């Protein structure tokens, strides 16, 4: 209880201190940072939505490795463990994926409910692997040993994408890059060269 009161008092004091200095100084962001350093407070940088999601995903994968039987260390983690993790995540999915036996297989908008399983959407898995791949290297892993970038994981993601598109009756076409038309100058069009 005393710690909570002390923390509240420190926050109120810091707030008054910042308000007084901000009134006297036009550069409020600089003075606030200076005030925090003068008071010995460390202010963590504000993370982007992507960075905070990447940290959450990394922590989730770390927890998965810790709970794995037998427990795994990151250095012993392979592409097979990543695939096992992705399959484990399917139980938390929210995307209905029709089986081939389902009467709604291949229908983008089924007219009635069916008992087909809910799975992770391909786009979610693809984004997750991208974030985990980046987090692995940011946490000291070598790109050559990154289990999130192995061929088996890429093939699994491709299979999931194709199976989900087929189950919904929607084809997946990779977006083609449009090339900018090359503008030719008069000298290029005539084939002449200048010396």
């Amino acid at each position: 209880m005393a710690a909570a009161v002390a923390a509240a008092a420190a926050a109120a004091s810091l707030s008054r201190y910042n308000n007084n200095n901000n009134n006297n100084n036009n550069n409020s962001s600089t003075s606030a940072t200076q005030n925090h350093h003068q008071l010995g407070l460390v202010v963590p940088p504000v993370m982007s939505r992507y960075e905070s999601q990447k940290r959450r995903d990394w922590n989730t994968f770390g927890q998965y490795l810790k709970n794995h039987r037998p427990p795994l260390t990151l250095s012993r983690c392979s592409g097979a463990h990543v695939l096992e993790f992705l399959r484990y995540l399917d139980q938390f999915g929210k995307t209905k994926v029709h089986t081939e036996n389902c009467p709604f297989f291949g229908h983008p908008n089924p007219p009635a409910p069916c008992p087909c399983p809910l799975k992770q959407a391909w786009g979610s898995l693809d984004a997750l692997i991208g974030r985990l791949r980046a987090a692995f290297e940011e946490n000291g892993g070598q790109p050559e040993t990154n289990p999130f970038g192995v061929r088996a994981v890429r093939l699994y993601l491709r299979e999931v994408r194709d199976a989900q598109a087929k189950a919904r009756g929607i084809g997946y076409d990779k977006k083609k890059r449009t090339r900018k038309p090359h503008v030719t100058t008069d000298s290029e069009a005539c084939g002449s060269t200048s010396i």
Side-chain angles (χ1 to χ4, degrees):
M1 180 72 177
V5 172
S13 172
L14 179 61
S15 176
R16 280 194 305 272
Y17 186 74
N18 283 340
N19 287 339
N20 288 340
N21 273 354
N22 286 344
N23 291 337
N24 298 332
N25 189 348
N26 288 339
N27 192 350
S28 62
S29 64
T30 304
S31 67
T33 304
Q34 290 170 346
N35 294 340
H36 290 194
H37 288 297
Q38 290 171 350
L39 292 174
L41 297 175
V42 178
V43 179
V46 177
M47 292 191 332
S48 69
R49 184 173 176 215
Y50 171 81
E51 291 296 327
S52 55
Q53 183 65 52
K54 183 168 55 172
R55 176 182 282 177
R56 248 190 326 270
D57 293 339
W58 184 250
N59 291 340
T60 301
F61 185 71
Q63 195 64 42
Y64 174 78
L65 292 179
K66 193 183 296 183
N67 293 337
H68 190 272
R69 293 291 165 238
L72 284 168
T73 61
L74 189 58
S75 61
R76 298 185 61 80
C77 180
S78 69
H81 297 112
V82 173
L83 293 177
E84 193 177 292
F85 175 65
L86 294 177
R87 290 184 186 107
Y88 157 79
L89 290 178
D90 268 342
Q91 67 183 312
F92 308 111
K94 297 176 185 165
T95 300
K96 177 82 70 170
V97 180
H98 301 289
T99 62
E100 291 189 17
N101 300 334
C102 179
F104 304 129
F105 181 79
H107 292 277
N109 299 311
C114 67
C116 292
L118 294 174
K119 296 188 174 193
Q120 289 288 339
W122 166 76
S124 300
L125 293 177
D126 189 48
L128 170 70
I129 289 298
R131 290 189 299 267
L132 289 173
R133 191 173 180 178
F136 178 83
E137 293 175 16
E138 287 174 7
N139 286 285
Q142 297 298 317
E144 306 83 42
T145 62
N146 193 333
F148 302 101
V150 298
R151 187 170 189 267
V153 173
R154 291 193 310 269
L155 289 174
Y156 175 78
L157 287 175
R158 188 177 306 148
E159 287 172 11
V160 168
R161 180 193 70 197
D162 293 345
Q164 289 185 4
K166 192 174 180 183
R168 292 190 348 241
I170 299 170
Y172 175 82
D173 295 324
K174 188 172 183 177
K175 293 179 184 173
K176 303 250 192 271
R177 270 188 13 186
T178 57
R179 294 181 180 256
K180 294 180 182 176
H182 179 69
V183 178
T184 58
T185 61
D186 290 337
S187 61
E188 287 178 20
C190 296
S192 63
T193 58
S194 59
I195 300 176

